[in-house]
Amino acid sequence: MSGQSQFQLLRTRRFAPFFATQALGAFNDNAFRQAMIVLIGAFLGFSSQQAAFYEMIAPAIFILPFFLFSASAGQIAEMFEKTRLIRYIKLLEIAAMLLAVYAFHAHQVWLLFVVLFLMGLHSTMFGPIKYAILPQALKNEELVGGNGLVEMGTSLAVLAGMMAGGSLMALGDWGASAASALVVGIAVAGYLAARAIPPAPATAPGLRFNWNPFSETLRVARYITKNRTIFNSILGISWFWFFGTMFTSQLPAYVRDYLGGGPQVLILALALFSVGVGIGSLLCERLSGRKVEIGLVPFGSIGMTLFAVDLYFARPLATAATGLGAWDFVLAAGSWRVIADLVLIGLFAGLFIVPLFALVQSRTERSELSRVIAGNNILNALFMVAAAGLGLGLTALGLSIPQIFLVVALLNAAVAIYIYTLVPEFLMRFLSWALVNTLYRIRTEGLDHVPEEGPALIVCNHVSYMDALIVAGSVRRPARFVMYYRIFNIPVMSFIFRTARAIPIAGAKEDPALLEQAFEAIDAALADGDLVCIFPEGGLTADGNIAPFRPGVERILQRRPVPVVPMAIRGLWGSIFSRKDTRLGRMRLPRRFRSRLVLALGEPLPPEQASAAELERRVRELRGEWA
């Protein structure tokens, strides 16, 4: 997929049928729910209090299966071939929608809630498959783009389903028939799309099914908490649902009381948020360079906070206007600020959520991924319930809706700071991503040569003070860098290096004790299965050429034999922070800003072949004719 748009995936059988299946499912969930709400609220003769009660309990009925069956769904998704499971789940959807047809026409409210429960069960069973099948179908460099498309498709399908289901049911005498034809037709289309999904083998076919959902839920909790980075990523995903639930649940009253809008403005507000999420999700691939870039997560959370705060200031007081149409609202004074805030909150939410899903998928064992996603779904449901409870509580305390938005924005900032304190890798990746992508334009070759797991060494030529950040911002797997202690102690950058657990080193004549400590730290890192990057020249190039590699790499391999990946940085000499533009050790104005760089990686060498001379030869070959 290198050099191609993520939209190319929509032309492939390994992705397009799955994308259509999940989008149609999201559409139908929301089309049915909105049709049901309109039917209960407008056509069954209930009082406003009764209708409000049914509307309030509907989300709880839909979410209930997530608590009851997610753990079991995760097991089933591991044990059996996923494509066949998807087809069975789509048959369940068709059966539920046929039952909905009868409920729509018979005006059986209790039966409508049975169907709602079944649709919640449908989503519960599909969820662990939905995100676990992507790593099986996509290459590593396609994972971010694929997740971006899924989030974009889901966001727009949810909006379209709400609009279509509610609009058709509102047609009066023909409403029930029109809504029935829609939900059954979409369910059948989803099943047909599912039949085109290629096989996805079971990841744990020998797994023994645990029939006790409570003990299995506890077991799933252990799966999601055993890796701190994965667990905090799942917390971030759940926070996204908390944040989104808080905002979308307040939107109807906000539109009515603070924007003076009618149903058209509510649809417009939901559309703006959904389109923003879609745009942000798609931008992730371009901004991340088609790799799992968790540096986008802090960027997303910062934007969500800033524009949620601005939404409070944009319209803090209730308006006297009522029943505005969409166009009237757009033309009203101050509306463009609200429109921009809604779009940008959604956009940064997309930047926030897509890398988190991709990170969970890329760092979780394939045989456990479905159960981890099931645990994620349980936690998501808990956070959504908590969001609903907090919204009710803040309203009872007398806070206005803009004030609730402000509280959520400040909570978002506090939660972000807490998560980034627990897992500094998120913030470190953001700082390195921001610095590197501000100063350079980078293309990579051969990233797949870096082993996905297990200990390994990367050896690279040393051109500038930014080399470690450039490598860290490009290689998908976190690496520990061995760097000259004076570079390690550069102000500001030292925070990034320490957070990344870089290993400072000095020459034998400068500080022999620090040199020995460095070799001990390198061996310990490799023993722990880490990726370690070293610059065997022993210092920055003074003339742009590669200096002879020192034998330290051989000493490392004698003690701990591991694969070695040669790497070359091309095009960096003469750019900012290289020595080409220095005189007497003082940096002058660089000749090139936003330089085009290439990071080229060769095939791993077994340790017995990885002499300093051979590694130098390989790095020179990768460097080619570039200066």
Side-chain angles (χ1 to χ4, degrees):
M1 189 177 166
S2 178
Q4 297 182 11
S5 166
Q6 59 199 313
F7 291 103
Q8 296 294 325
L9 289 173
L10 296 175
R11 301 181 179 181
T12 64
R13 189 188 166 204
R14 58 195 170 91
F15 181 79
F18 165 76
F19 174 83
T21 301
Q22 66 85 27
L24 290 168
F27 178 99
N28 229 19
D29 276 346
N30 289 274
F32 168 74
R33 279 195 285 174
Q34 199 63 25
M36 172 182 165
I37 289 171
V38 171
L39 179 64
I40 291 173
F43 297 106
L44 298 188
F46 292 118
S47 67
S48 58
Q49 290 82 5
Q50 288 175 307
F53 171 75
Y54 285 130
E55 289 180 14
M56 183 177 66
I57 67 171
I61 298 297
F62 184 81
I63 290 174
L64 183 60
F66 286 90
F67 292 109
L68 297 178
F69 304 116
S70 283
S72 299
Q75 294 181 86
I76 293 170
E78 305 280 25
M79 294 170 63
F80 301 103
E81 196 274 319
K82 292 181 177 61
T83 302
R84 181 174 294 180
L85 288 176
I86 292 174
R87 293 170 187 168
Y88 289 145
I89 292 168
K90 290 291 124 180
L91 289 175
L92 169 64
E93 182 185 358
I94 293 173
M97 291 301 96
L98 290 173
L99 196 59
V101 171
Y102 176 77
F104 281 158
H105 288 86
H107 293 180
Q108 295 283 353
V109 175
W110 69 270
L111 192 55
L112 287 173
F113 279 99
V114 170
V115 175
L116 186 62
F117 182 87
L118 291 175
M119 291 305 289
L121 178 61
H122 160 269
S123 296
T124 300
M125 299 300 296
F126 187 61
I129 302 172
K130 173 180 175 180
Y131 288 105
I133 200 173
L134 286 176
Q136 291 183 259
L138 303 181
K139 302 173 185 176
N140 285 332
E141 65 270 21
E142 297 171 334
L143 204 53
V144 172
N147 274 281
L149 287 169
V150 167
E151 292 304 320
M152 178 273 296
T154 301
S155 179
L156 297 182
V158 166
L159 174 66
M162 292 175 63
M163 294 170 60
S167 299
L168 291 180
M169 185 58 76
L171 292 177
D173 293 339
W174 293 97
S177 297
S180 297
L182 175 71
V183 295
V184 172
I186 293 296
V188 171
Y191 173 76
L192 294 177
R195 292 194 62 83
I197 300 175
T203 50
L207 182 67
R208 185 175 180 180
F209 188 81
N210 180 8
W211 290 95
N212 187 328
F214 302 105
S215 64
E216 186 61 26
T217 297
L218 293 176
R219 184 182 298 174
V220 164
R222 290 195 292 270
Y223 278 121
I224 67 174
T225 55
K226 72 178 185 179
N227 182 301
R228 189 175 69 169
T229 299
I230 291 174
F231 179 60
N232 283 286
S233 298
I234 289 173
L235 285 178
I237 293 168
S238 297
W239 178 256
F240 166 85
W241 287 105
F242 180 99
F243 185 94
T245 299
M246 286 291 293
F247 264 83
T248 55
S249 64
Q250 300 295 328
L251 269 183
Y254 178 71
V255 167
R256 182 186 65 245
D257 299 336
Y258 291 85
L259 304 184
Q264 288 184 357
V265 179
L266 176 58
I267 292 173
L268 175 63
L270 290 170
L272 292 170
F273 183 78
S274 298
V275 169
V277 172
I279 294 171
S281 299
L282 294 178
L283 280 175
C284 284
E285 187 207 34
R286 180 170 294 275
L287 292 176
S288 67
R290 298 183 176 88
K291 64 180 184 297
V292 179
E293 181 50 78
I294 60 175
L296 291 176
V297 177
F299 187 43
S301 65
I302 291 169
M304 290 162 66
T305 297
L306 290 177
F307 291 104
V309 169
D310 191 68
L311 189 61
Y312 163 76
F313 289 106
R315 199 65 66 90
L317 301 175
T319 180
T322 58
L324 292 178
W327 187 243
D328 293 329
F329 165 71
V330 170
L331 296 178
S335 293
W336 281 102
R337 183 175 177 182
V338 174
I339 290 171
D341 284 338
L342 290 172
V343 172
L344 290 170
I345 290 170
L347 186 150
F348 282 98
L351 294 177
F352 178 84
I353 188 66
V354 169
L356 289 175
F357 266 123
L359 179 67
V360 171
Q361 292 165 340
S362 64
R363 296 201 187 176
T364 303
E365 292 287 340
R366 293 286 176 87
S367 60
E368 300 176 359
L369 181 54
S370 293
R371 282 170 285 177
V372 168
I373 295 298
N376 167 76
N377 291 343
I378 295 172
L379 206 58
N380 291 351
L382 284 171
F383 272 63
M384 292 168 71
V385 171
L390 180 62
L392 291 173
L394 293 176
T395 301
L397 290 174
L399 271 67
S400 67
I401 294 174
Q403 288 172 334
I404 292 175
F405 290 161
L406 180 62
V407 168
V408 177
L410 297 178
L411 280 175
N412 188 64
V415 168
I417 292 170
Y418 175 69
I419 290 178
Y420 306 144
T421 301
L422 288 177
V423 190
E425 182 186 351
F426 283 95
L427 186 58
M428 183 276 294
R429 292 287 295 192
F430 170 62
L431 293 175
S432 61
W433 173 82
L435 279 171
V436 169
N437 285 277
T438 298
L439 299 174
Y440 308 102
R441 289 170 289 178
I442 302 175
R443 180 168 60 87
T444 59
E445 298 175 357
L447 277 183
D448 289 341
H449 292 316
V450 178
E452 291 292 331
E453 57 185 18
L457 273 179
I458 292 179
V459 297
C460 184
N461 59 316
H462 206 3
V463 187
S464 81
Y465 297 107
M466 297 291 289
D467 291 355
L469 290 180
I470 290 169
V471 175
S474 302
V475 175
R476 288 186 291 268
R477 184 178 166 190
R480 297 190 63 181
F481 291 88
V482 181
M483 60 178 59
Y484 186 46
Y485 74 101
R486 293 186 185 276
I487 297 178
F488 181 87
N489 291 324
I490 292 175
V492 180
M493 290 186 182
S494 64
F495 166 77
I496 299 176
F497 297 145
R498 292 177 194 277
T499 302
R501 299 187 302 148
I503 300 170
I505 194 169
K509 295 181 180 179
E510 288 181 289
D511 193 336
L514 182 58
L515 177 64
E516 290 304 315
Q517 290 175 16
F519 278 111
E520 290 294 330
I522 293 168
D523 187 68
L526 294 173
D528 289 340
D530 291 340
L531 182 67
V532 177
C533 180
I534 63 174
F535 302 96
E537 294 168 89
L540 297 180
T541 178
D543 56 7
N545 296 315
I546 295 177
F549 280 14
R550 298 185 180 183
V553 62
E554 296 174 355
R555 177 178 171 183
I556 294 169
L557 295 174
Q558 285 176 356
R559 184 170 178 179
R560 185 76 56 180
V562 297
V564 186
V565 181
M567 173 190 290
I569 301 176
R570 308 173 187 164
L572 191 55
W573 179 247
S575 68
I576 189 169
F577 295 117
S578 71
R579 283 185 170 179
K580 184 173 183 179
D581 292 290
T582 62
R583 178 181 292 174
L584 300 178
R586 296 177 180 271
M587 183 172 293
R588 299 170 59 199
L589 183 67
R591 297 181 185 177
R592 287 192 291 166
F593 185 73
R594 293 285 293 163
S595 300
R596 294 183 181 274
L597 310 182
V598 176
L599 208 64
L601 294 87
E603 294 185 2
L605 272 71
E608 61 272 12
Q609 298 179 17
S611 65
E614 178 62 18
L615 289 170
E616 180 187 337
R617 185 184 70 82
R618 297 290 182 102
V619 173
R620 287 181 180 274
E621 286 182 355
L622 291 167
R623 183 171 171 270
E625 72 282 1
W626 286 70

